[in-house]
Amino acid sequence: SASTNWHLKENTRDHHTSKFSSKELIVRRGQAFVVTFNGIEQPEQNLTFIAETGPKPSKQAKTQATFGISSTVSKENWSAVLQSTSSNSASIAISSPANAVIGRYKLSVQSTSSGSSSPATLGTFVLLFNPWSSGDDVFMSNKAECEEYVLEEFGIIFSGNTHHINSFGWNFGQFQGDILNICLSMLDRSLNYRQDPATDVSHRNDPKYLGRVLSAMVNGNDDQGVVLGNWSGNYEGGKSPSSWTGSGEILQNWKKSGFKPVRYGQCWVFAAVLTTVLRCLGIPTRTITNFSSAHDADGNLRVDEFYDASGNHLERGADSVWNFHVWNESWFSRSDLGPSYSGWQILDATPQEESGGIYQCGPASRNAIKEGDVDLDYDCPFVFAEVNADCMYWNYDPATGKKTLIFSKSTTIGQFISTKAVGRDDRVDVTSDYKYEEGSRKERDIFKKARKKLGLEDKFDPTAPTPKEIEQKPDISGKFKVAGPLEVGKDLNLILVLANLQPDVKSVHVNMTAWSTVYTRRPVREIWKDSISVTLSPEEEKHFPVKISYAEYQQQLTTDNTIQITALCHVEGGIQVLVQRDITLDNPAIDIQVLGEAKVNKEVDVEVVFTNPINAEVMDCVLQVEVQEVPSSCYQKYINQNIDMDDFELNTEMTQNFLLAHSFKPAFHLN
């Protein structure tokens, strides 16, 4: 009987798959791998190999290939080339085409000289996408980018708001133990597979198909996918979204529970898990954070925000603006749209709006978004609005149902669009890849082009301001300035700055409110309110201090540490002016010292120093730690918004392992 030597070490090195901890051969398509078969007689003459995947392998669906030994490698088809033979063994280089279906294959061999005997199974191997191969849809010519977007297991995700960008580390862990098998089982649990397994598997050569399927499978809506979203601020019955530190635990939990959605996630969790799955399968992928991100529910490229006379933010209408939103970009060509739309493609696994009847989003070509080509597949209008919608602020009177436009702004949505730098922990701003300069003529022309493509330019639009409303210029201006630290445990000090823009005296009545929110700006609990009446002399500017004590917000804060403060200014004889500011409070710092020398395979002591910043006892604190092995040549510091890593130095020549304190969230607030 034949035995198989898969040459794991050499093949996985050549195929950039040596980081997988698997006894099964894992290779990439469009590239040869060498296998030695023992116990085979006269191999060069009469062997036929069969490679097949999926439940109903067929040549027509390209899920089965039959090939004999040939003298040269075929680009179009599977092929086998004899490398060397001895009396009863043969080493053979097997190649798959660059557009082969990915997944787990069974390899069999049949000897034609032995008549009609059934094929002998040689074993199984897994075939992945190949960004190192120029024939592959996911080919990436820049090797450093391949390293970062396919092989890097650690990443940095950006959060916060436009005034204050935070970052935290995440362990994608795409090469951990069972993750590849879990990713493959995700594909076999999708709605597409359940409806028609053979057709679904036959499409698995196409990154845009897989990206779309996986954007649906990472959320638990529709299909018992991986993560269940929760934006309520109450996370009973699961883990708070902000407590996860890596994708591995989430994916393992999903499998362990019999594939029930893991509770709970928010946008960065969905994006991080999708990054893990796509990198694992070989599609270059990164996370993207968009600040002041629009969720345009009604598809008119405008987001409507409503406030009552007291300045309270009302949950009216389905549109919203999130402090930040995280999605993915994956790199592949778009044969369906043409070469100018290839490159980075936007995928979003956060369940916001249905697409084709289920919660999935993308792939939307980033080039199409920038050029306003919102009529192209997939979900371009939704993504375009996320980064470039116009914002309409309304005053709503619940008693009469009347709404009045306070003002509109075309430059607030889609700011500081961020991703991690290649090979470094820095933030790279990619806003200019999504849109032309905000407020420029070109950007406005693209916005009009997008509205025209959606048939919005002629229709009566109830949210469109009347000319009278547009012409009205406010008599005063206002802003909130920060006048102290923005830290949990400290009082919040702000200054409301009001300026009279007119040459005559203005009387103003100001209603102020502050609410704790989640990062989607959904108000959760009222913290504070106040009102003042002000007289402003001609062109006078006045400053009004606002103080919200820790005692006032302590019990109201959500785990997002976010507060929205609003001042609605009623100007006598003039139009209202809305002043608002979103605030993210930092958790206290944590200090990490490595004690003594760190050596490979030896225990190392690490001291964690935390100083309680408040004059009350804190209970039930949790320290979360991720341990990650990093080659000494590329030791990097991974930062967390709660960690000052400056004191965390290692002798990198002597160590390959370092401890990463991943996040520390003292239980200062009640969930």
Side-chain angles (χ1 to χ4, degrees):
S1 68
S3 71
T4 310
N5 178 352
W6 294 99
H7 297 290
L8 288 179
K9 196 176 173 191
E10 298 80 4
N11 283 327
T12 58
R13 182 194 63 217
D14 294 346
H15 284 252
H16 303 93
T17 55
S18 55
K19 282 188 170 186
F20 285 102
S21 51
S22 168
K23 301 218 171 7
E24 185 177 29
L25 179 63
I26 299 164
V27 289
R28 300 187 186 278
R29 64 186 190 176
Q31 187 178 337
F33 58 93
V34 176
V35 189
T36 300
F37 307 113
N38 299 309
I40 287 179
E41 290 167 32
Q42 296 179 308
E44 62 275 11
Q45 285 147 31
N46 47 22
L47 295 185
T48 301
F49 293 97
I50 302 145
E52 50 194 7
T53 186
K56 292 182 185 166
S58 80
K59 289 192 172 70
Q60 189 188 352
K62 294 196 163 45
T63 50
Q64 183 189 58
T66 308
F67 50 100
I69 290 177
S70 55
S71 55
T72 55
V73 172
S74 163
K75 282 259 184 269
E76 311 301 313
N77 300 300
W78 287 78
S79 58
V81 177
L82 195 63
Q83 303 288 93
S84 64
T85 58
S86 64
S87 58
N88 70 340
S89 80
S91 290
I92 290 168
I94 293 175
S95 304
S96 60
N99 63 349
V101 166
I102 63 118
R104 179 169 277 112
Y105 278 80
K106 183 174 90 171
L107 185 65
S108 315
V109 65
Q110 191 162 21
S111 169
T112 43
S113 62
S114 62
S116 61
S117 69
S118 58
T121 301
L122 297 167
T124 63
F125 64 94
V126 176
L127 191 68
L128 302 176
F129 290 98
N130 193 348
W132 287 269
S133 164
S134 60
D136 200 304
D137 283 339
V138 303
F139 173 63
M140 204 167 217
S141 57
N142 183 317
K143 298 293 171 277
E145 291 184 351
C146 281
E147 290 276 329
E148 178 75 43
Y149 299 135
V150 181
L151 301 182
E152 181 55 70
E153 288 192 84
F154 250 93
I156 286 175
I157 299 173
F158 297 93
S159 64
N161 62 44
T162 49
H163 297 289
H164 187 75
I165 295 177
N166 292 325
S167 59
F168 54 91
W170 190 274
N171 186 356
F172 296 119
Q174 65 268 34
F175 302 113
Q176 288 174 9
D178 205 25
I179 297 302
L180 176 57
N181 285 327
I182 295 172
C183 294
L184 293 174
S185 66
M186 277 173 78
L187 295 174
D188 290 347
R189 303 190 75 80
S190 74
L191 295 177
N192 300 49
Y193 183 86
R194 287 184 227 168
Q195 283 156 8
D196 185 346
T199 303
D200 171 72
V201 174
S202 74
H203 287 316
R204 291 185 190 173
N205 62 330
D206 183 356
K208 68 178 177 295
Y209 175 81
L210 275 196
R212 189 160 173 80
V213 165
L214 290 166
S215 81
M217 273 308 294
V218 165
N219 66 66
N221 304 46
D222 314 308
D223 48 25
Q224 291 290 295
V226 180
V227 180
L228 196 64
N230 180 344
W231 287 266
S232 69
N234 172 9
Y235 309 116
E236 279 173 39
K239 278 180 72 162
S240 155
S242 57
S243 68
W244 301 108
T245 57
S247 307
E249 188 188 353
I250 293 170
L251 289 163
Q252 302 282 8
N253 286 358
W254 182 58
K255 185 186 174 184
K256 274 186 212 140
S257 71
F259 302 105
K260 290 189 182 69
V262 175
R263 298 159 186 258
Y264 293 103
Q266 289 171 353
C267 65
W268 66 92
V269 182
F270 294 110
V273 171
L274 187 55
T275 301
T276 298
V277 177
L278 293 172
R279 284 186 183 181
C280 184
L281 297 176
I283 300 175
T285 302
R286 62 190 189 180
T287 61
I288 296 285
T289 303
N290 179 39
F291 292 93
S292 283
S293 188
H295 175 175
D296 172 26
D298 53 10
N300 64 354
L301 305 189
R302 288 196 167 126
V303 282
D304 301 302
E305 299 236 282
F306 295 92
Y307 294 84
D308 67 13
S310 303
N312 292 307
H313 186 199
L314 302 175
E315 287 199 82
R316 241 195 93 69
D319 289 357
S320 57
V321 178
W322 296 15
N323 285 342
F324 69 93
H325 178 40
V326 187
W327 59 70
N328 297 90
E329 283 180 356
S330 289
W331 178 271
F332 47 86
S333 60
R334 289 299 294 266
S335 51
D336 58 328
L337 303 179
S340 61
Y341 298 104
S342 293
W344 288 115
Q345 310 293 324
I346 295 132
L347 292 160
D348 193 344
T350 300
Q352 293 180 92
E353 295 293 320
E354 289 185 356
S355 170
I358 61 173
Y359 285 96
Q360 58 188 351
C361 182
S365 160
R366 195 179 70 182
N367 292 350
I369 301 303
K370 181 167 183 177
E371 298 302 331
D373 295 326
V374 292
D375 48 341
L376 301 177
D377 285 344
Y378 296 86
D379 307 307
C380 284
F382 186 78
V383 178
F384 183 90
E386 285 182 308
V387 297
N388 212 6
D390 281 2
C391 211
M392 322 292 284
Y393 299 89
W394 300 88
N395 188 206
Y396 179 75
D397 183 348
T400 61
K402 181 171 184 271
K403 61 175 194 171
T404 318
L405 188 74
I406 305 170
F407 69 104
S408 66
K409 212 160 181 200
S410 67
T411 55
T412 51
I413 299 297
Q415 298 190 46
F416 303 113
I417 305 176
S418 303
T419 193
K420 176 190 173 300
V422 173
R424 305 193 317 280
D425 291 348
D426 305 341
R427 182 182 79 87
V428 174
D429 195 297
V430 293
T431 311
S432 61
D433 295 321
Y434 276 83
K435 56 184 176 182
Y436 290 94
E437 192 183 343
E438 199 65 86
S440 67
R441 178 79 191 273
K442 180 79 173 167
E443 181 270 330
R444 283 289 89 189
D445 287 347
I446 295 284
F447 183 79
K448 287 178 189 141
K449 170 184 170 182
R451 277 183 66 83
K452 190 171 181 183
K453 287 201 171 212
L454 296 174
L456 294 169
E457 83 284 15
D458 303 322
K459 286 185 188 162
F460 169 68
D461 183 348
T463 65
T466 64
K468 177 174 159 290
E469 285 172 319
I470 290 175
E471 281 160 20
Q472 280 186 291
K473 287 271 192 292
D475 297 320
I476 67 163
S477 69
K479 65 182 173 194
F480 280 111
K481 283 171 77 168
V482 172
L486 297 177
E487 293 169 21
V488 174
K490 302 262 169 72
D491 294 344
L492 181 57
N493 287 292
L494 302 168
I495 296 167
L496 174 63
V497 181
L498 295 180
N500 183 358
L501 306 174
Q502 302 300 331
D504 50 344
V505 176
K506 293 291 167 194
S507 299
V508 187
H509 183 73
V510 184
N511 290 328
M512 292 182 283
T513 63
W515 286 70
S516 66
T517 63
V518 284
Y519 77 99
T520 62
R521 293 192 196 164
R522 196 179 70 75
V524 177
R525 289 183 279 271
E526 188 177 70
I527 291 173
W528 167 93
K529 64 180 174 185
D530 196 7
S531 61
I532 49 172
S533 288
V534 182
T535 305
L536 292 172
S537 304
E539 295 175 6
E540 182 186 18
E541 181 177 284
K542 277 190 177 173
H543 291 211
F544 304 94
V546 170
K547 179 178 173 178
I548 302 172
S549 69
Y550 175 59
E552 284 176 290
Y553 73 74
Q554 175 189 6
Q555 298 295 319
Q556 318 301 336
L557 208 56
T558 67
T559 49
D560 292 24
N561 291 359
T562 50
I563 293 171
Q564 185 179 63
I565 185 164
T566 304
L568 190 57
C569 308
H570 301 267
V571 183
E572 202 176 301
I575 61 168
Q576 299 175 68
V577 172
L578 179 72
V579 186
Q580 61 172 171
R581 176 106 186 216
D582 289 284
I583 287 157
T584 305
L585 301 176
D586 284 335
N587 281 327
I590 184 173
D591 220 8
I592 298 175
Q593 303 270 0
V594 177
L595 306 177
E597 236 171 24
K599 290 188 176 173
V600 177
N601 298 330
K602 290 276 192 300
E603 286 183 4
V604 60
D605 289 329
V606 176
E607 183 180 69
V608 177
V609 181
F610 170 70
T611 308
N612 178 7
I614 62 170
N615 52 9
E617 191 176 86
V618 297
M619 313 275 288
D620 303 324
C621 294
V622 178
L623 175 67
Q624 289 169 295
V625 177
E626 286 270 347
V627 182
Q628 168 74 349
E629 201 170 286
V630 174
S632 55
S633 59
C634 64
Y635 163 68
Q636 290 173 316
K637 292 189 294 187
Y638 281 91
I639 53 171
N640 181 282
Q641 68 208 42
N642 311 323
I643 297 178
D644 180 357
M645 295 289 267
D646 292 344
D647 298 314
F648 187 20
E649 287 182 11
L650 288 174
N651 180 342
T652 53
E653 286 169 25
M654 303 183 66
T655 180
Q656 283 183 303
N657 298 24
F658 74 96
L659 269 174
L660 173 71
H662 190 90
S663 72
F664 184 78
K665 299 198 165 57
F668 285 142
H669 35 254
L670 302 175
N671 288 352

